[in-house]
Amino acid sequence: NDPDPIDNRQFCSENGNDDDNDACKHSEATWDTECLDRYLEQGGRTVVFVGERKRYQDQDWGISATRNFQERLVEKMDLVQTVPLPQLWLNQDDMTIWRAKKKL
């Protein structure tokens, strides 16, 4: 997903001007949550997510997926495994494996 004005305000122009460097001005509609919902509706059971995600209370949501996607992932799936990855400066990516929660 693109940086967006809802989850990633840090990439938006602070002055609200028509700034060509404003990532939020050029952002496209987000689609990650809809993809997850459709995948699960079709019987998908496992998701491998690679990227930044919110892991701690005081941490932001990162730019790999929207807040809505990350909340839906936690709501609908169980975290099975976390795999640390080599990091670039200021990145907090990891690989996580998720399995759909059993329906009651």
Side-chain angles (χ1 to χ4, degrees):
N1 268 331
D2 286 337
D4 65 87
I6 296 169
D7 297 325
N8 295 292
R9 296 288 316 154
Q10 69 270 28
F11 296 104
C12 299
S13 175
E14 291 183 21
N15 57 19
N17 292 340
D18 216 11
D19 183 356
D20 283 336
N21 295 323
D22 185 345
C24 293
K25 175 184 168 188
H26 303 289
S27 181
E28 298 177 10
T30 59
W31 45 263
D32 53 355
T33 306
E34 183 178 346
C35 287
L36 178 60
D37 288 341
R38 298 301 161 267
Y39 175 71
L40 293 172
E41 286 170 8
Q42 295 299 314
R45 305 261 321 126
T46 304
V47 169
V48 177
F49 179 78
V50 178
E52 291 181 309
R53 61 189 175 90
K54 184 170 178 114
R55 291 178 271 181
Y56 310 106
Q57 189 76 19
D58 61 345
Q59 184 181 14
D60 70 19
W61 296 92
I63 62 170
S64 300
T66 62
R67 174 179 61 222
N68 195 33
F69 173 88
Q70 293 180 56
E71 288 173 344
R72 184 74 45 89
L73 193 64
V74 170
E75 172 191 341
K76 301 285 186 180
M77 307 195 83
D78 292 317
L79 178 60
V80 176
Q81 184 176 1
T82 302
V83 180
L85 299 174
Q87 299 296 303
L88 296 173
W89 181 65
L90 293 179
N91 285 27
Q92 296 181 349
D93 297 344
D94 62 8
M95 181 177 79
T96 51
I97 300 171
W98 302 78
R99 292 251 161 64
K101 291 183 178 180
K102 296 187 185 205
K103 296 180 181 179
L104 300 174

